[in-house]
């Protein structure tokens, strides 16, 4: 009888990193590079997958919204709330900006 909630451990292929064994990542090497630079797993995966998809043209996007420094603290707080950043209520404007960029 199978136990409820029991998960089979993920088996890694010898000679590959965990990210290279993840089929959801389209560019595992770029993902690893971004993670080594301190990006979150979510952000690194989003960027590496967009980079691997020629239809997304990630280098052509951006620049449309004002920089976080131009936002009000209230707007930064609301955005942090929308994406679920913990500890936002006690953060200063520079701390909110840093947290949003890390997410």
């Amino acid at each position: 009888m199978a136990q409820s909630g029991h998960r089979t451990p993920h088996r890694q292929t010898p000679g590959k990193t965990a990210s290279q064994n993840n089929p959801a990542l389209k560019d595992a090497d770029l993902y690893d590079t971004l993670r080594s630079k301190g990006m979150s797993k979510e952000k690194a995966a989003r960027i590496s997958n967009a980079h691997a998809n020629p239809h997304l043209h990630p280098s052509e996007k951006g620049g449309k919204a004002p920089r976080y420094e131009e936002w009000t603290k209230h707007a930064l707080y609301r955005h942090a709330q929308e994406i679920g950043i913990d500890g936002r209520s006690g953060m200063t404007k520079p701390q909110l900006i840093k947290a949003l960029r890390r997410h």
Side-chain angles (χ1 to χ4, degrees):
M1 178 185 261
Q3 292 180 342
S4 177
H6 179 72
R7 296 179 68 186
T8 304
H10 177 71
R11 299 192 192 272
Q12 187 169 325
T13 304
K16 288 189 173 185
T17 65
S19 64
Q20 290 170 328
N21 282 313
N22 185 341
L25 292 173
K26 306 301 182 226
D27 189 337
D29 292 332
L30 177 58
Y31 173 85
D32 290 334
T33 300
L34 296 172
R35 288 287 293 144
S36 70
K37 291 181 178 181
M39 286 192 186
S40 69
K41 291 178 182 179
E42 179 184 343
K43 186 172 184 178
R46 195 170 49 239
I47 291 170
S48 65
N49 287 346
H51 187 266
N53 185 342
H55 299 293
L56 293 179
H57 307 290
S59 62
E60 296 175 15
K61 291 186 176 184
K64 307 272 191 272
R67 296 179 44 86
Y68 283 143
E69 288 78 8
E70 297 174 28
W71 292 32
T72 65
K73 182 180 176 186
H74 181 70
L76 291 167
Y77 177 85
R78 281 185 298 155
H79 189 53
Q81 186 178 29
E82 288 172 6
I83 59 177
I85 293 177
D86 292 330
R88 63 189 172 267
S89 62
M91 292 183 184
T92 63
K93 182 175 178 176
Q95 290 170 328
L96 284 166
I97 291 170
K98 187 175 182 179
L100 287 165
R101 287 195 172 134
R102 277 196 199 147
H103 188 273

